[in-house]
Amino acid sequence: MFKRIIIALCTLVVLSTPAVARVNLNFNVEIAPPPPQVEVVPVPRPGYVWAPGYWALEGGRHVWVAGRWIPVHRGHYWVPDRWVEYRGPRGPHWHFEPGHWEREHWHRRY
């Protein structure tokens, strides 16, 4: 009986844990994104960092995705979602780089 309860609890824990998946959509387009929209940043929230809004591409057109608060990752800083322009032999194109966390690098000065 005790063994069944332990197995049931373990199963419940596994099934109730959300699966985390990160989809990294990197693509190039020849359509420049519009200028960023002006956002009013809400009052700071302890333990969170503001991730500014950005233009996403949906159905061949740019759609504004509003900024949001995301939980802080200690020892890291947030790199916002952005479009980077590249100039190539066939003309300019834009590459979308999703927002992500990067480790802080502390350098000593001697």
Side-chain angles (χ1 to χ4, degrees), residues 43-93:
V43 177
R45 293 177 57 185
Y48 288 82
V49 64
W50 179 253
Y54 62 94
W55 290 104
L57 196 64
E58 289 182 14
R61 65 185 188 93
H62 286 94
V63 177
W64 183 254
V65 176
R68 68 228 179 261
W69 290 107
I70 54 177
V72 168
H73 289 192
R74 297 221 184 269
H76 294 77
Y77 64 94
W78 179 250
V79 178
D81 304 84
R82 63 188 178 152
W83 288 93
V84 179
E85 182 181 2
Y86 292 98
R87 299 225 174 242
R90 293 183 291 178
H93 62 274

